[in-house]
Amino acid sequence: MKKSLIFLFCFLPAWKLLAQSFSEVSREVGIDSYYEPRFYMGGGAAFVDVNNDGFLDLYVTGGLAVDKLYINQGDGTFVEMGEEYGFGITKDFFTSAVAVGDIENDGDADIIVTTWVGSSDGINKRNLFFENDGAGSFTENGESKGFLEKSWSMGATFGDINRDGFLDIYIINYVNNHGSIEVDQQGNVTFYQPDCFANYLYINNGDGTFSEVSAELGVDDPGGCSLAASFTDYNNDRRPDLLIANDFGWWAETNKLYANDGDMFTDKSRDSKMDIAMFGMGIATGDYDEDQDLDYYVTNIRGNVLMNNQGDGTFTNNALAAGVDNTFTDDEYTTGWGAVFFDYDNDSYLDLGVTNGYVATEPIIYTAFQDADKMYRNKGDGTFEDVSDLTGFNSREISRGLITGDYDNDGDLDAFVVVSKSFESIDPHFLLFKNETENANDWIKIQLKGKDSPRDAYGSRVKLYLQDRTLIREIDGGSSYASHNSSIAHFGLGTQGTVDKVEILWTSGRRQEVSDLTVNSLNIIEEDTSIDIITSVENEGSTGNTLMYPNPVTSGNKLYLKTQDDPFIGQGPITIRGVHAREVILVKPFIEQAGLLSVELPNLSNGSYIISFNTTSGTHQEVLLIAR
C-alpha cells in the first residue's frame, strides 16, 4: 500500500556533565537563542570576522525565527546585532544554512543564506545573498547577483572551480515532494522514490554577478536529495572537486564524488567507492592519518563512514576499525549531523567532533531520542578514542550544525553547536563550548590572503613541516552540516616548539614556502605574486610548465612560456579554450630560442583559459592562463 510520509518528532530533556576540556558558556557570554525548525531540518552557523577587527563573529540561521549575528566584543563576550547589520529580512524566510565568502575580493566577508519557504506563506523562496559594505552593514541583493532559482536549499559551499581568482558557489537542494512510498504492515518503508530538487552551481562572472551552470557542467545531481557538500581536492591535482552527501541513499541517489576535469566534472562516485547508500547528513574533511591526501567523514543514521583515501582515486570505509562509527546510543541507532576534524588538544593530531540529534525515521530503524554529541581523540595510530564525557562535549540536546574556531584568540579551538527546538524541549539554546584544555602544547595559526587566488584562499592547501611529519589543512569553503568553520588554518604542535616551514599551494597554481613563522601566534601570509605559477594541471608532482612572467600577457597580446625539462615543439597549432567553454581557438606558435615559446594571442576577454600543446617527446601539456 502507499501512504503519505508523515514526520513525527519527540524529544526528552537534555542533561550535561561538568566539563574538563570544554565549558559550555553560551549564556554567560551573551548567546541565548535556538533554532526554530520545520520538520527538524536545517540549523547552520558560521564563524566569520564580519568587521575585520581580528575577532571571530558568529552567524546562526534561525529557521522560522530571524537569523542571529553575534558580534565578538574582543573580551570573550558577544552582542547580538543581526537587525542592525541588515539581517532582519530573514524573519520572512525559513532559513536553513549559511556560508561566507568574499565574492569580489574586496576584503569584506559576504554571506549567503539558504532558504526553503516563506515563514508565513509556505511558498518556495530564492536564496539570500548579503553583500558586506565594509562599513558595518549588509545589503541583501541576491536577485541582482543572479540567485534566482527557488527550491528547498540545505547548504552551500564556496570554491574557485575554474581558478580564475573568483569564488564560485554550489548550493545543495532537498525534497521537492515525497513521490511514491510503499510500506509494509509494520509501517516500514519498502520502496521510496522521492522527487528531489536539482542542485545549483553558480559561476562567478567576475563582475559581482553569477550564472547557474550545474546541468551544463554535470553536477546538478537531480536524483539526490542533498544535505551536505564540499569543494575539496581529493586527488591532489590542484583542482577543487565536489563531494556531496545525499539523504535517502537506500532508495534514491547515493553519495556523489565529482572530479573536476578543468572544463567539466566527471562522476567518479562508483569508481572511487564513494557511492555509499546512506542517509548522508554532514561532511568533515581532513588528513587524519597523515598520508598526504584528504580523508572524509560522512554522518548518517545508524552508522557514520570514515572514507580513508587510498591515494589511487579510491576510498575504504575505516569507521568501525577507527572507532568512530557512531552507530548506537544504548540499544538504539544514533542520528549524526555536523562533523569537523580539528585538533582540540593541540597535540598535533586531528581529532573529530560530531553532533547527534533525533529525527523521525521508519519504525525498523529505532533511532534514539537522546543521542549525545561525540568527541573522538586521535590516538596517532589511525584510531580514535571516545572522550566525549571526559571533555564535556556530550550534550543530549537535538543538535544540528557544528563549527570550530578560536573565538577568544587564546590558541585553542572552540566549538559551537546549533540546537534545534523540539516539542519536548524545556530549555533549548545554542551551545558555545569554550576550550579550556590544560596542557603545555604549542600551536600556530595561519591565515591566507590571496591575490591572484581568491582573497579567502578557499581550496588552497597549507602544508606544515614538523621534523619527520607533514601536516596539511585545506582551507574550507563550507562543509559540516549547513555550516562553515573558521577559515584560519589551525595546527597543534604538541611540545615541538618550532616549525621547520610551511608550504602554501595556492589555488592560482603558485607554490610558496615560508619559514619565518611565529609559534603560538597568528601568522598572516599573503600570496607572493612574484613567484612563477606552476601551471601544469596534469600532475602536481611534476615540475610542469611555468609562466615566464607573473603577468604573462604583455603588450600586443604576446604570451611567453618556458619549460624546465622538455622543449616545445616548433610547429603545429596550440589549442586555447575557455575553462568551461566549448569553443576552441587555434594559435600558431613559433620558437624564439630553445625551450622558449612566444605565442601571439587573439583578443581574450577576462576569464580562465586552458592552453594545450605537445612537446617534442610527445608529452601532452596544459597551461592555465588567467586573463584580466
Side-chain angles (χ1 to χ4, degrees):
M1 61 179 176
K2 298 190 176 186
K3 295 183 178 180
S4 299
L5 192 66
I6 300 174
F7 290 97
L8 297 175
F9 303 98
C10 187
F11 178 56
L12 298 177
W15 60 272
K16 64 180 180 179
L17 297 175
L18 292 176
Q20 194 169 30
S21 296
F22 290 97
S23 297
E24 201 290 292
V25 298
S26 57
R27 282 177 166 155
E28 68 182 75
V29 302
I31 299 172
D32 188 7
S33 190
Y34 55 79
Y35 182 77
E36 186 76 45
R38 286 178 70 102
F39 301 132
Y40 277 53
M41 302 302 293
F47 273 128
V48 53
D49 184 1
V50 299
N51 51 12
N52 288 329
D53 66 352
F55 291 92
L56 290 176
D57 308 303
L58 177 63
Y59 190 98
V60 194
T61 59
L64 292 170
V66 67
D67 290 5
K68 303 294 185 181
L69 176 62
Y70 295 98
I71 299 298
N72 193 327
Q73 301 300 291
D75 59 2
T77 67
F78 293 82
V79 174
E80 202 288 308
M81 300 185 66
E83 292 275 356
E84 291 87 339
Y85 272 74
F87 296 101
I89 186 177
T90 58
K91 69 179 181 297
D92 299 324
F93 295 78
F94 173 78
T95 59
S96 53
V98 58
V100 299
D102 183 357
I103 67 161
E104 294 177 319
N105 296 327
D106 60 1
D108 301 314
D110 307 304
I111 296 176
I112 190 161
V113 176
T114 65
T115 73
W116 178 16
V117 294
S119 58
S120 58
D121 59 18
I123 300 174
N124 288 339
K125 303 294 184 182
R126 65 171 175 82
N127 295 305
L128 303 174
F129 186 85
F130 293 93
E131 187 168 8
N132 190 338
D133 68 359
S137 67
F138 288 76
T139 300
E140 200 294 304
N141 55 11
E143 190 170 6
S144 65
K145 295 293 183 184
F147 301 107
L148 305 177
E149 288 72 21
K150 301 176 181 179
S151 61
W152 186 352
S153 296
M154 288 300 301
T157 183
F158 285 88
D160 184 8
I161 67 169
N162 52 12
R163 302 200 305 179
D164 64 352
F166 293 97
L167 289 175
D168 312 301
I169 303 174
Y170 190 74
I171 293 180
I172 53 172
N173 297 316
Y174 199 51
V175 177
N176 185 9
N177 63 69
H178 287 289
S180 299
I181 303 171
E182 297 179 4
V183 299
D184 60 21
Q185 292 183 347
Q186 288 74 43
N188 298 313
V189 177
T190 58
F191 174 83
Y192 178 38
Q193 188 60 57
D195 176 19
C196 307
F197 286 105
N199 296 337
Y200 309 140
L201 173 58
Y202 293 97
I203 295 295
N204 193 325
N205 298 319
D207 59 1
T209 67
F210 292 80
S211 299
E212 204 289 305
V213 296
S214 60
E216 178 183 348
L217 299 189
V219 291
D220 51 336
D221 191 27
C225 295
S226 306
L227 286 177
S230 177
F231 279 125
T232 178
D233 180 11
Y234 83 94
N235 54 10
N236 289 344
D237 69 351
R238 307 291 296 280
R239 301 187 188 108
D241 309 302
L242 180 61
L243 176 62
I244 304 172
N246 281 329
D247 201 359
F248 311 120
W250 297 103
W251 304 286
E253 287 288 338
T254 64
N255 294 342
K256 292 291 186 181
L257 180 62
Y258 294 98
N260 187 339
D261 296 332
D263 60 347
M264 285 287 290
F265 285 85
T266 300
D267 187 348
K268 296 290 187 179
S269 310
R270 177 174 294 183
D271 292 344
S272 67
K273 301 180 182 179
M274 192 65 84
D275 59 336
I276 307 294
M278 60 189 296
F279 300 99
M281 307 286 201
I283 297 172
T285 300
D287 181 20
Y288 79 93
D289 55 358
E290 297 181 18
D291 62 353
Q292 304 308 294
D293 49 36
L294 293 172
D295 312 297
Y296 303 97
Y297 186 80
V298 185
T299 55
N300 183 30
I301 302 174
R302 63 183 182 188
N304 302 338
V305 298
L306 175 60
M307 305 306 292
N308 183 268
N309 196 328
Q310 302 298 292
D312 59 0
T314 67
F315 293 83
T316 300
N317 180 14
N318 284 1
L320 191 60
V324 293
D325 56 295
N326 192 42
T327 303
F328 292 104
T329 297
D330 299 324
D331 295 327
E332 297 175 311
Y333 287 116
T334 300
T335 305
W337 296 91
V340 180
F341 281 113
F342 73 114
D343 183 2
Y344 83 87
D345 55 1
N346 282 340
D347 69 349
S348 75
Y349 296 99
L350 278 177
D351 310 304
L352 176 63
V354 184
T355 55
N356 298 315
Y358 173 75
V359 70
T361 60
E362 57 178 310
I364 197 173
I365 295 181
Y366 299 111
T367 53
F369 286 108
Q370 288 186 318
D371 37 5
D373 297 340
K374 291 292 184 180
M375 184 63 63
Y376 296 104
R377 181 179 178 273
N378 191 330
K379 296 163 65 176
D381 59 1
T383 67
F384 296 77
E385 61 177 327
D386 185 345
V387 294
S388 308
D389 292 340
L390 180 65
T391 61
F393 190 85
N394 57 359
S395 168
R396 289 180 179 262
E397 292 282 1
I398 295 184
S399 300
R400 291 297 184 258
L402 167 65
I403 56 173
T404 60
D406 184 8
Y407 82 87
D408 51 3
N409 287 347
D410 65 351
D412 48 35
L413 286 169
D414 311 295
F416 180 82
V417 176
V418 180
V419 171
S420 182
K421 182 183 178 183
S422 79
F423 299 124
E424 300 296 328
S425 296
I426 295 176
D427 188 25
H429 60 92
F430 300 142
L431 304 173
L432 177 63
F433 289 96
K434 176 180 172 60
N435 192 334
E436 296 183 317
T437 305
E438 295 184 4
N439 58 40
N441 291 338
D442 296 307
W443 52 273
I444 191 169
K445 294 193 292 187
I446 296 173
Q447 183 176 11
L448 301 185
K449 292 186 178 181
K451 291 185 177 179
D452 286 340
S453 303
R455 175 78 172 180
D456 293 317
Y458 294 154
S460 295
R461 188 171 295 188
V462 182
K463 302 178 71 172
L464 183 143
Y465 293 86
L466 198 66
Q467 287 188 340
D468 58 345
R469 297 166 60 199
T470 304
L471 312 182
I472 67 173
R473 301 286 189 270
E474 183 178 65
I475 307 302
D476 177 26
S479 58
S480 188
Y481 170 77
S483 299
H484 199 159
N485 296 295
S486 167
S487 59
I488 297 174
H490 186 110
F491 295 86
L493 304 177
T495 57
Q496 180 68 32
T498 60
V499 172
D500 295 336
K501 67 176 180 179
V502 297
E503 185 179 46
I504 314 301
L505 306 180
W506 297 94
T507 56
S508 65
R510 288 190 173 88
R511 188 189 300 264
Q512 180 177 348
E513 290 188 2
V514 180
S515 56
D516 53 339
L517 296 159
T518 304
V519 173
N520 298 323
S521 180
L522 170 66
N523 294 256
I524 298 175
I525 299 177
E526 293 190 350
E527 183 174 8
D528 185 352
T529 56
S530 69
I531 298 173
D532 288 342
I533 295 177
I534 298 175
T535 54
S536 172
V537 295
E538 294 297 314
N539 184 356
E540 176 198 333
S542 69
T543 56
N545 301 293
T546 60
L547 295 179
M548 185 131 186
Y549 304 109
N551 209 357
V553 180
T554 62
S555 61
N557 282 354
K558 184 172 287 188
L559 171 69
Y560 294 92
L561 300 173
K562 67 178 179 181
T563 180
Q564 298 175 358
D565 55 356
D566 197 358
F568 289 89
I569 193 168
Q571 60 270 358
I574 285 182
T575 300
I576 300 180
R577 56 182 168 80
V579 168
H580 292 295
R582 297 287 188 268
E583 66 270 15
V584 172
I585 307 168
L586 299 181
V587 180
K588 184 177 180 180
F590 60 90
I591 294 291
E592 289 191 344
Q593 63 187 60
L596 181 63
L597 176 68
S598 171
V599 183
E600 192 74 26
L601 294 176
N603 290 323
L604 296 176
S605 58
N606 292 350
S608 295
Y609 300 86
I610 295 292
I611 303 177
S612 302
F613 53 87
N614 293 322
T615 63
T616 53
S617 63
T619 302
H620 177 73
Q621 296 288 342
E622 290 186 345
V623 171
L624 174 69
L625 169 66
I626 299 175
R628 291 181 176 174

